[in-house]
Every structure is written in C-alpha cells, then in structure tokens.
C-alpha cells in the first residue's frame, strides 16, 4: 500500500475540503508549528496564539473523525522549525511514497513548496484549497490589457456570477453600491453589544511559545482569549454578527470611536482567512437576513458588508497573484523614512494614532478605516518606507496574511504601486478624521490649525505630501482640485515649513 503524506498549513483549516470526505489508512496529514512562520516578521502574540490553537483544534477534530495526523508543536524536540527539514525528516523516517499539499495563499510558501517538491525523491502533487470564489489568475484575466484594476467593475461581475443581491440582471434596489450611505460617524446613538466570549485559557500555550524563543509584540490576557479558534466558535461569532451587528454595520463601517474599538464590525476576518468559514456561506447568511427581515437589516447595511467579502477580498487576492513577486518591491514615491517608534508602543500626542495603534497592540485588530485613514494615512504623508509599513501591518494584525495585507498596505494605503489598486492616494487632513471619529476633541493638537504651536500634524503633512509629489500626481484627474487650491494658498510656504519641522522630528509628535 502506497503511503501518502498531506501537508496542511496554518491558514488551511477548511473542514469541508474534499480531502476529508473519507478516511484513508494510507494517508497521514502533517501539521507544523514552526519558527519559520513565527519569525519572518515579528507577530502580535494574539496572532501566534490564535493560529496555533486553531491548528491544534483542527488536528484534534481530524483525529476524532478517524484521520491520521502527525502534529509537531512549537516546542517539540523533533521540530526542525523549518518546512523543508520537517517534511524531509518525516518522509525519510516513515518512508512515504507520495507528498501532497494544498496551494498556499502566500507567494513565499508557494515558491518554497515548489522547491521542496523538486528536491524530494518521491512523487508530489498539489491541490486547490477549495476556499476562494475565484482562481488565482481570475482578476488578471478580467483586467487583461488594462493598467488600473478597478474593484467596482470586478465586484459587479461577481454579484452577477453568484447571483448575490440581484433582481434578474439588475442590482437589488437599483444600485450596485451604497457606499455613500456607509459613511456615518458614530455618536453613540446605538448601543454596541458585547463581544461573545469563548471559555479558554491560553496560558499553557503562551508559555510554550515563550519557551520556544518566539519573539512577539502586543498584549494578551491568556485567561480571556477573545478570538475564535475552531469552526464552531467561528459560527458562533458569525451568528452574533448577523443577529446584533449587521443591522448597523453599513451605516457605521467607516466610523471610529475611542470607547468602541470594534463598533459593528464582524471580526470574522481571521476565521475567513484561516478558512474555518467559507466566504460564500457568510455572504449567503447575510443575504438571507435581508430577505427574511428587510426592515431590520436594510440593503445598504448588507451590501456594505457583502462588498467587503465578495468584492474587496477576492479582488485583493487576485491583485496579489497577478503582480507578485514584483509587487513587494514597488515604491512609487521612493519613500525611505523609518517607521516612528510610537508605532510599536502607541506613545504619541496625536490622539488618533494613539488610539488606533494602542487598540492594535491591545486587540491585534483595527478596522479598515483606522488602518487606511489613520495609521496608513500618516505613514504615507510622512514618507515612511513601504517595506517597514508592510512589516508592521503584517505583524500586528490577527488577520494579516501577505496576500491580503500587502495589497491593502502597499497598494491601497501607501499608493506604492502607483495606482494599480487605487485611483488616487488615500490621504487626508484632520478634517476627515474629525468627521468620522471623536479622536480630535481630546487631542493635544488643534484640528483646525495648519501652522504654529500645537497645529495638527495631519494638516501640514497633507499639503506637503502633495507639493513634493506634484510631478507624479498633478495630472491625476481625481485630485486636480488639490493643486488648484495649493496654487492659490497664501500660507503655503509657512505650511510647508511646518510640515518639514514635523518630518524632522517625527519621534516627538
């Protein structure tokens, strides 16, 4: 009987994969906790914990169903801490005849597994993860011959292909996109329900991670770990979102508030990205809520949520595979400034950054506007090297896997790709942050001042960013108004000098 070993990576925890439809005596599933994966960037401690605990739970579930599993823990003395060495060691020791794996979602692992297969003396094969709604190259084919990849057109095609929020060939409600109704600030009009708790103590796992020498960042209370680590817990979180949060999601999805780090966001991204939940089941569940109770849910709320998964998530993954590995080197503005140290401890007088970074360190989470229009906005205007920005986002967020992180960070947030993902840089002065949050009211800096003592850094950095990048941006039709304003600005020189002082003293802001 031929012996087969099948590799399951930490973000491939899909219990409904066809691999698991039957138990086979000749098949062994291999799962590995490795320093290779904990160390390529410094990760948030909650991120390491949630991956390892979810992997352990998945391995246990497979075993209970009769599958054979080899699982190497991070502190196992037999663990070589490297994918290639662990695979080779197991194959040599147990004399497997065939090695199989599921296609990784990260380019580095895809390349590594191809190299491993080329070197192995046995037959190898790879299979799809059966998770995404499109294949790797779908977005590249969709935009063949075009310089800019416009998410909206891709999103509409996905709505049609999967019959989501459609009335025949037309969008439900007569509009494809209700983004204009998804921009309300949160003024505490609606109470935010408590996050579901999962009865789990992670102290032992945390100690194992520390004993193995893994270096992490951020905070954790191991006795009250809040993230789902199994499919059942992920379904519990999904039900909580659908019942309590989705009715308000779209309206407040861009809002930020000092007292509410999560607001009405689902926090399902880790469950999705680890494949414990399938995107289509989440989309269908949200659509069912609207169909059963349109008065409670409302089309703008549901469409805003579905757009993130059916549109943005699939789109970004397609961009990743269309443009890697060159994408990871793109630096359109040539930014080289180092990331300020307050990104690692939240110790800054800028209240918006203090809260967005502090929340990220405490919860390993911030929602898309905090990432885009606070931390990302500042990094772009300050001219931070996109390599450093990438590493920070990839390490600090619990849902950050490179395929989704780098396209959002280097593309959408930092415009380092020169406009492949976004049609313009996403930068703003204090005005936008004040409109969408309560951050500015208690800030050390004045949101209305562009120059002088305690002038908000976002105000002068905004105009300085456009001035120094005039040659690259002034012909962009979406931002022509900025240069019209700059040309008429009476305080221009003073504002640019203010920005330069701030850039020379980023650590003191």
């Amino acid at each position: 009987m031929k012996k087969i070993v099948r590799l399951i990576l930490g973000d491939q925890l899909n219990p409904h994969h066809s691999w698991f439809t039957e138990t086979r005596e000749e098949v062994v599933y291999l799962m590995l906790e490795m320093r290779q994966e904990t160390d390529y960037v410094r990760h948030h401690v909650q991120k390491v914990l949630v991956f390892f605990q979810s992997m352990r739970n998945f391995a246990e579930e497979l075993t209970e169903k009769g599958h054979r599993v080899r699982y190497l823990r991070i502190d196992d003395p037999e663990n070589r801490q490297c994918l290639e060495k662990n695979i080779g060691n197991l194959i040599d020791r147990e004399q497997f005849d065939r090695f199989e794996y599921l296609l990784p979602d990260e380019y580095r692992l895809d390349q590594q597994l191809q190299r491993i297969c080329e070197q192995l003396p046995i037959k190898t094969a790879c299979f799809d993860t059966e998770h995404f709604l499109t294949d790797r190259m779908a977005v590249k084919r969709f935009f063949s011959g075009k310089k800019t990849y416009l998410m909206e057109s891709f999103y509409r095609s996905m709505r049609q292909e999967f019959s989501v929020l459609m009335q025949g060939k037309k969008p439900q409600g007569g509009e494809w996109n209700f983004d204009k109704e998804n921009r309300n600030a949160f003024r505490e009009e609606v109470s935010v329900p408590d996050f579901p708790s999962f009865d789990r103590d992670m102290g032992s796992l945390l100690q194992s991670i520390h004993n193995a020498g893994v270096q992490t960042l951020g905070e954790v209370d191991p006795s009250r770990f809040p993230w789902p680590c199994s499919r059942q817990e992920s379904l519990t979180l999904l039900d909580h979102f659908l019942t309590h949060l989705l009715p308000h999601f779209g309206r407040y999805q861009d809002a930020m508030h000092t007292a509410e780090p999560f607001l009405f966001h689902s926090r399902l991204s880790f469950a999705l990205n680890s494949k414990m939940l399938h995107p289509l089941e989440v989309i269908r569940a949200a659509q069912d809520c609207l169909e059963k109770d349109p008065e409670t849910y409302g089309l703008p709320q549901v469409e805003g949520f579905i757009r993130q998964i059916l549109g943005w998530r699939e789109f970004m993954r397609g961009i990743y595979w269309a443009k890697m590995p060159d994408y990871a080197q793109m630096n359109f503005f040539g930014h080289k400034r180092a990331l300020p140290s307050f990104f690692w401890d939240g110790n800054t007088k800028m209240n918006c950054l203090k809260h967005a970074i502090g929340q990220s360190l405490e919860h390993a989470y911030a929602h898309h506007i905090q990432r885009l229009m606070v931390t990302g906005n500042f990094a772009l205007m300050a001219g931070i090297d996109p390599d450093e920005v990438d590493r920070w986002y990839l390490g600090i967020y619990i849902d950050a896997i490179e395929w989704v992180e780098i396209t959002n960070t280097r593309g959408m947030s930092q415009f380092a790709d020169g406009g492949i993902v976004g049609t313009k840089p996403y930068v703003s002065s204090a005005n936008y942050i004040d409109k969408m949050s309560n951050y500015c009211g208690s800030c050390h800096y004045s949101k209305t001042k562009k120059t002088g003592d305690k002038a908000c850094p976002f105000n002068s950095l905004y105009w300085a960013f456009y001035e120094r990048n005039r040659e690259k941006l002034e012909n962009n039709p979406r931002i022509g108004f900025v240069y019209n304003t700059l040309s008429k600005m009476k305080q221009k020189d003073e504002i640019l000098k203010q920005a330069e002082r701030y850039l020379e003293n980023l650590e003191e802001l």
Side-chain angles (χ1 to χ4, degrees):
M1 181 173 62
K2 298 283 188 182
K3 294 177 63 178
I4 302 169
V5 59
R6 288 175 168 175
L7 176 69
I8 302 172
L9 297 173
D11 63 344
Q12 296 177 339
L13 311 181
N14 175 10
H16 296 135
H17 193 277
S18 58
W19 268 4
F20 312 124
T21 54
E22 62 177 355
T23 57
R24 295 169 58 183
E25 180 64 26
E26 76 275 18
V27 174
V28 170
Y29 292 98
L30 175 63
M31 299 184 71
L32 306 163
E33 299 172 0
M34 296 179 294
R35 290 289 300 270
Q36 170 187 308
E37 295 305 293
T38 61
D39 294 5
Y40 67 91
V41 295
R42 191 170 184 176
H43 295 284
H44 198 292
V45 61
Q46 293 183 38
K47 185 180 181 183
V48 179
L49 286 168
V50 77
F51 267 104
F52 286 1
Q53 187 62 53
S54 299
M55 290 166 65
R56 293 180 182 193
N57 289 345
F58 190 73
E60 186 176 328
E61 291 165 9
L62 288 180
T63 301
E64 289 173 354
K65 292 176 181 177
H67 299 286
R68 300 173 65 198
V69 180
R70 296 285 186 276
Y71 194 101
L72 275 182
R73 298 190 172 200
I74 190 69
D75 55 354
D76 192 311
E78 292 186 9
N79 194 336
R80 307 298 178 85
Q81 305 296 346
C82 165
L83 186 57
E84 182 175 1
K85 290 179 181 178
N86 277 326
I87 291 171
N89 186 48
L90 181 68
I91 289 173
D92 289 343
R93 190 174 69 244
E94 301 196 25
Q95 296 297 296
F96 284 99
D97 303 293
R98 183 177 172 89
F99 171 70
E100 298 178 351
Y101 67 94
L102 300 176
L103 286 171
D105 292 321
E106 289 193 314
Y107 183 84
R108 65 182 178 86
L109 286 169
D110 188 67
Q111 295 297 296
Q112 185 180 13
L113 279 163
Q114 287 185 41
R115 291 193 300 270
I116 290 171
C117 288
E118 289 171 359
Q119 296 166 6
L120 286 175
I122 60 175
K123 291 183 178 181
T124 65
C126 62
F127 299 85
D128 193 83
T129 59
E130 301 173 9
H131 173 80
F132 290 96
L133 305 180
T134 55
D135 65 67
R136 283 179 172 182
M137 294 301 164
V139 168
K140 185 174 184 177
R141 290 194 302 272
F142 188 87
F143 293 101
S144 178
K146 298 180 181 178
K147 180 182 178 181
T148 300
Y149 288 31
L150 188 64
M151 194 279 288
E152 182 66 22
S153 57
F154 173 76
Y155 170 55
R156 294 182 183 187
S157 75
M158 294 289 283
R159 289 266 297 270
Q160 293 170 320
E161 180 178 350
F162 290 93
S163 299
V164 175
L165 301 179
M166 297 296 296
Q167 292 175 321
K169 295 183 178 181
K170 295 184 178 181
Q172 190 172 332
E175 298 287 342
W176 288 102
N177 187 315
F178 289 88
D179 188 48
K180 291 181 180 179
E181 297 184 40
N182 299 158
R183 301 173 184 171
N184 287 27
F186 181 69
R187 306 302 182 198
E188 301 180 72
E189 308 94 327
V190 184
S191 61
V192 181
D194 291 337
F195 186 75
S197 60
F198 303 109
D199 186 16
R200 182 191 304 106
D201 191 327
M202 305 284 267
S204 177
L205 176 55
L206 180 62
Q207 189 61 53
S208 296
I209 290 168
H210 287 160
N211 290 345
V214 177
Q215 299 295 310
T216 61
L217 59 92
E219 308 167 20
V220 67
D221 179 353
S223 65
R224 300 181 63 187
F225 193 73
W227 296 100
C229 297
S230 68
R231 174 165 170 79
Q232 189 54 53
E233 290 176 354
S234 300
L235 289 170
T236 298
L237 188 59
L238 173 60
D239 181 69
H240 172 79
F241 170 69
L242 296 173
T243 304
H244 301 290
L245 305 178
L246 182 56
H248 309 291
F249 171 78
R251 184 177 299 111
Y252 299 115
Q253 68 171 298
D254 287 1
M256 300 172 285
H257 197 278
T258 54
E260 298 290 349
F262 303 116
L263 282 171
F264 301 98
H265 288 265
S266 72
R267 294 151 291 182
L268 292 169
S269 50
F270 172 76
L272 280 163
N273 292 353
S274 60
K275 302 177 181 56
M276 294 189 293
L277 292 179
H278 191 279
L280 199 56
E281 76 175 315
V282 176
I283 291 165
R284 296 294 188 213
Q287 185 170 329
D288 287 348
C289 288
L290 178 64
E291 291 176 358
K292 293 174 182 176
D293 191 353
E295 289 190 11
T296 297
Y297 288 90
L299 183 56
Q301 314 306 319
V302 175
E303 187 278 324
F305 175 68
I306 287 176
R307 189 187 334 131
Q308 289 192 352
I309 300 176
L310 183 64
W312 201 246
R313 187 171 185 267
E314 295 284 332
F315 175 70
M316 287 303 211
R317 187 240 185 180
I319 294 283
Y320 180 79
W321 286 106
K323 298 298 181 181
M324 285 294 284
D326 295 342
Y327 201 85
Q329 309 302 320
M330 291 182 175
N331 189 352
F332 181 68
F333 296 115
H335 287 165
K336 291 297 180 184
R337 193 169 277 112
L339 194 71
S341 59
F342 57 72
F343 269 75
W344 303 104
D345 58 21
N347 188 18
T348 171
K349 297 188 288 291
M350 292 176 284
N351 207 37
C352 57
L353 281 164
K354 178 181 179 180
H355 277 279
I357 294 170
Q359 173 187 317
S360 302
L361 291 166
E362 181 180 357
H363 300 292
Y365 178 87
H367 70 65
H368 65 281
I369 293 299
Q370 292 169 312
R371 300 186 201 194
L372 177 66
M373 299 307 299
V374 180
T375 51
N377 182 12
F378 179 84
L380 177 54
M381 294 192 301
I384 307 301
D385 188 329
D387 288 348
E388 296 207 13
V389 181
D390 269 341
R391 283 192 290 270
W392 186 80
Y393 277 90
L394 188 56
I396 202 167
Y397 291 122
I398 204 154
D399 52 14
I401 302 172
E402 191 185 59
W403 67 267
V404 68
E405 176 277 324
I406 197 170
T407 44
N408 276 287
T409 301
R410 195 172 288 257
M412 185 72 172
S413 170
Q414 299 304 292
F415 204 75
D417 64 3
I420 294 172
V421 171
T423 55
K424 69 178 182 68
Y426 279 85
V427 292
S428 79
S429 64
N431 185 57
Y432 175 83
I433 296 172
D434 184 48
K435 177 183 175 182
M436 296 309 303
S437 76
N438 68 338
Y439 292 153
C440 298
S442 55
C443 188
H444 167 84
Y445 295 102
S446 170
K447 64 187 179 183
T448 59
K449 293 180 66 175
K450 297 183 181 68
T451 62
D453 185 45
K454 295 186 179 181
C456 175
F458 280 78
N459 291 335
S460 57
L461 292 179
Y462 173 82
W463 294 110
F465 167 79
Y466 277 116
E467 179 63 25
R468 72 173 178 269
N469 294 302
R470 179 183 289 270
E471 186 176 331
K472 291 178 179 290
L473 297 175
E474 66 179 340
N475 292 324
N476 186 316
R478 291 198 64 192
I479 50 179
F481 71 94
V482 173
Y483 289 101
N484 288 335
T485 303
L486 259 176
S487 64
K488 301 173 185 176
M489 191 175 286
K490 294 180 180 178
Q491 284 185 293
K492 177 179 170 181
D493 290 343
E494 191 177 345
I495 290 170
L496 297 180
K497 288 178 182 177
Q498 180 88 23
E500 190 59 36
R501 286 193 294 271
Y502 281 151
L503 290 173
E504 291 173 355
N505 298 279
L506 286 181
E507 295 291 345
E508 298 175 15
L509 295 182

